[in-house]
Amino acid sequence: MPNILDAILGSLSTRLAARILLTFVFWSAGVAALFAFPERVAEMAHFGLQPAPLYAATTTVWLLLGSAMIILNRAAWLGAASLIVFTALTIPIAHAFWTMPQPERTAHFHVVMEHVSLVGALLAAAILCHDRKDR
């Protein structure tokens, strides 16, 4: 069994799939924004980010570029760091649960906890990509 496990976990295909899946939430949001840019602009305006078109464009590029860096394992540590910053910034901007009434407060609290876990996963990915260069 250890040989099978080593083969699966050591496989470049498995490692690539892991990077694609880890970044799915980011690159899929970036792709969606490309096809629904006016909605992305409206979202930025809703959260008080002005000029909304600039924020929409910047976040779209940020999500796609950070994801690509991790998926391709090219400066993955930088891609992970950028997505960590993005994820952390969404907490006070879009998920400030401490300012919300119930039941919205609890729902956003759980989203924040998921964001914290995602930050940990991105940090782990940066460490693993740095330790092993998959090309």
Side-chain angles (χ1 to χ4, degrees):
M1 187 65 147
N3 290 337
I4 294 171
L5 188 59
D6 287 343
I8 293 169
L9 296 179
S11 163
L12 292 178
S13 297
T14 301
R15 291 171 180 273
L16 176 60
R19 294 192 305 269
I20 291 169
L21 292 171
L22 172 65
T23 57
F24 176 77
V25 69
F26 300 109
W27 62 259
S28 65
V31 169
L34 292 175
F35 291 100
F37 194 73
E39 288 82 356
R40 178 60 64 127
V41 172
E43 181 182 23
M44 296 300 139
H46 170 77
F47 290 112
L49 301 172
Q50 294 297 335
L54 179 61
Y55 274 97
T58 301
T59 59
T60 300
V61 170
W62 192 344
L63 293 170
L64 293 172
L65 186 58
S67 296
M69 293 169 80
I70 293 170
I71 291 168
L72 300 174
N73 199 12
R74 301 289 190 255
W77 65 270
L78 183 58
S82 73
L83 294 177
I84 286 169
V85 169
F86 177 86
T87 303
L89 287 173
T90 65
I91 294 171
I93 294 170
H95 304 292
F97 65 89
W98 54 91
T99 67
M100 299 174 181
Q102 288 294 0
E104 194 177 12
R105 175 186 304 235
T106 298
H108 281 269
F109 171 80
H110 290 295
V111 170
V112 168
M113 295 304 103
E114 291 169 358
H115 280 39
V116 171
S117 292
L118 188 52
V119 165
L122 287 164
L123 186 56
I127 292 166
L128 291 171
C129 288
H130 177 73
D131 287 348
R132 180 182 168 128
K133 299 296 180 200
D134 297 336
R135 305 286 175 205

